[in-house]
Amino acid sequence: MTSGAFPFEANPNPVDAAERAARLVDPGFGRVFTDHMVTIRYSDAKGWHDAKVGPRAPLTLDPATAVLHYAQEIFEGLKAYRLADGSMALFRPEQNARRFQRSAKRLAMPELPEEMFLQACRQLVQVDKDWFPPIDGGSIYLRPFMIASEVFLGVKPSAEYLFMVIASSAGNYFKSGAPAISIWVSEQYTRAARGGTGAAKCGGNYAASLVAQSEAIREGCDQVVFLDAAEHRWVEELGGMNLVFLFDDGSLLTPPTDGTILEGITRDSVLTLAREQGLNVREERYAMDQWRADAESGRLVEVFACGTAAVVTPVGTVKSTQGAFTIGAGGAGQMTQKIRTKLVDIQRGVAADTHGWVQRID
Ligand SMILES: Cc1ncc(COP(=O)(O)O)c(C=O)c1O
């Protein structure tokens, strides 16, 4: 099957303009959905087929559908922005397409061609462009995903799959700038082990993280940070964001992507910008006890988390069974603010896009 525009069937009952405007006043995240969705089917016999953009509607699944039993599912998350000049754009969507292929490979699923992934994202935004919230920092969050759709209870890779993209209007993640978050160190639960699925964006990783995230909330923290599964010593990442450490000698450290953490596209963008600003970027392991010691000695001056949803978020305090410690003055540091502003300005078409990261879609 070739790509080009997919067949389009307009939603016969779209949300009316007044109701849509009401929902877009304060959309939050992940609750307000647009009128359409993309579906593409795959079978071993036919390959990719039946691509279309149609009305958003519930799925009907046989109770024996494979994904409901063995969690053969992967997903992506990326945002469409309105640029300063009013046009629409996606940020590095080809990176999401390629990560989706890597996730598919790890979960024994077929790889969706990059151009089909991109066409699906572009076309859905074009069709549902009225769903951009008319607020500063508003975006349309795209959620491409794929499920094993064969009706069969045997444990084996499914012979049929359903790829979809749905879209959700999103407000500014943080209403006024980015407040510093507190994080809880999970000592009991791990997220991913060597040889596991840590580098894949599969639903199962997130299911496994929820109990630790609940523990973080009980401990009065915003997010959980996971340590490595073998030694419970090396800092890996948060449940949904990568971590970056800034030191007083002008160096920047982030854990290496060696199979157990997600290769964040924000992480990669941040490292590129940091190198350009003359920081010495180190992708190295960082031990939990060293983190505490460096924070207490003042060597470590700033820490931030990064990911598509919240872009760059300062980490203010860290808490574990050993007690709590503070990073710098506990708020948003200067370097963090600088990197955040630079990245957001590129995403919004305010700063020059020297890397070709911003892909216009109209
Ligand atoms: C576990 C995890 N780590 C890191 C990230 C950040 O990745 P990205 O910057 O591509 O959104 C995400 C979010 O997608 C995530 O779920």
Side-chain angles (χ1 to χ4, degrees):
M1 174 171 171
T2 54
S3 33
F6 300 142
F8 172 56
E9 180 194 337
N11 190 330
N13 296 304
V15 175
D16 73 58
E19 172 60 22
R20 187 177 62 232
R23 292 187 197 173
L24 293 180
V25 171
D26 186 13
F29 179 81
R31 291 190 191 283
V32 173
F33 296 100
T34 66
D35 291 315
H36 297 90
M37 64 187 193
V38 180
T39 50
I40 309 178
R41 296 201 168 266
Y42 176 92
S43 68
D44 285 351
K46 290 167 82 175
W48 297 102
H49 61 280
D50 275 359
K52 65 168 182 254
V53 183
R56 187 177 186 280
L59 298 177
T60 304
L61 293 178
D62 187 283
T65 302
V67 67
L68 302 176
H69 302 273
Y70 310 122
Q72 201 189 5
E73 186 269 355
I74 57 171
F75 67 99
E76 269 302 325
L78 68 162
K79 283 177 176 172
Y81 298 96
R82 271 225 185 269
L83 303 185
D85 64 7
S87 58
M88 303 182 289
L90 296 168
F91 184 72
R92 307 187 75 185
E94 76 292 345
Q95 297 299 323
N96 295 91
R98 290 172 201 164
R99 190 170 64 188
F100 196 67
Q101 290 180 332
R102 295 197 296 276
S103 296
K105 219 168 168 175
R106 179 61 185 84
L107 273 284
M109 300 169 102
E111 292 173 50
L112 182 73
E114 183 175 321
E115 188 44 41
M116 288 177 89
F117 181 101
L118 296 175
Q119 178 62 27
C121 293
R122 282 192 299 257
Q123 207 174 324
L124 187 57
V125 176
Q126 281 161 349
V127 163
D128 281 335
K129 61 175 181 287
D130 290 344
W131 286 90
F132 274 101
I135 49 180
D136 191 34
S139 60
I140 291 182
Y141 179 83
L142 297 171
R143 170 52 60 86
F145 65 105
M146 174 158 55
I147 60 171
S149 54
E150 185 180 358
V151 178
F152 180 55
L153 290 182
V155 181
K156 65 151 190 94
S158 173
E160 293 167 18
Y161 296 89
L162 174 61
F163 168 78
M164 304 182 66
V165 188
I166 54 172
S168 175
S169 307
N172 202 346
Y173 205 82
F174 298 114
K175 289 207 172 77
S176 53
I181 57 168
S182 54
I183 57 182
W184 168 252
V185 184
S186 178
E187 288 163 349
Q188 189 182 352
Y189 303 108
T190 56
R191 181 183 169 276
R194 285 287 164 94
T197 57
K201 210 162 162 59
C202 59
N205 286 346
Y206 298 80
S209 75
L210 298 177
V211 66
Q213 176 63 27
S214 302
E215 189 177 86
I217 302 290
R218 267 202 312 281
E219 293 292 338
C221 294
D222 300 303
Q223 295 284 330
V224 60
V225 58
F226 290 100
L227 304 179
D228 76 290
E231 296 178 68
H232 286 228
R233 174 166 183 227
W234 306 100
V235 178
E236 299 227 307
E237 63 177 328
L238 307 190
M241 285 184 270
N242 295 115
L243 271 178
V244 175
F245 302 86
L246 293 155
F247 297 89
D248 63 356
D249 62 359
S251 67
L252 178 155
L253 181 150
T254 191
T257 51
D258 57 4
T260 58
I261 70 173
L262 194 78
E263 295 176 57
I265 295 158
T266 318
R267 171 189 182 279
D268 183 73
S269 309
V270 159
L271 298 191
T272 301
L273 296 178
R275 283 191 189 101
E276 279 175 4
Q277 289 178 21
L279 295 179
N280 168 22
V281 171
R282 297 183 284 140
E283 294 184 64
E284 292 170 12
R285 296 205 296 180
Y286 195 47
M288 192 58 230
D289 47 359
Q290 191 67 45
W291 183 359
R292 179 184 292 271
D294 289 343
E296 285 170 357
S297 74
R299 227 190 115 233
L300 176 69
V301 286
E302 299 179 35
V303 178
F304 64 83
C306 60
T308 296
V311 194
V312 166
T313 306
V315 173
T317 50
V318 183
K319 188 178 168 194
S320 73
T321 55
Q322 320 294 308
F325 61 92
T326 305
I327 314 294
Q334 261 183 6
M335 205 57 210
T336 300
Q337 302 266 37
K338 200 169 154 191
I339 291 174
R340 181 188 162 81
T341 303
K342 180 82 195 177
L343 186 54
V344 170
D345 283 353
I346 296 172
Q347 288 173 335
R348 300 282 161 163
V350 174
D353 173 29
T354 55
H355 302 281
W357 285 344
V358 176
Q359 287 197 14
R360 284 168 199 260
I361 48 178
D362 52 357

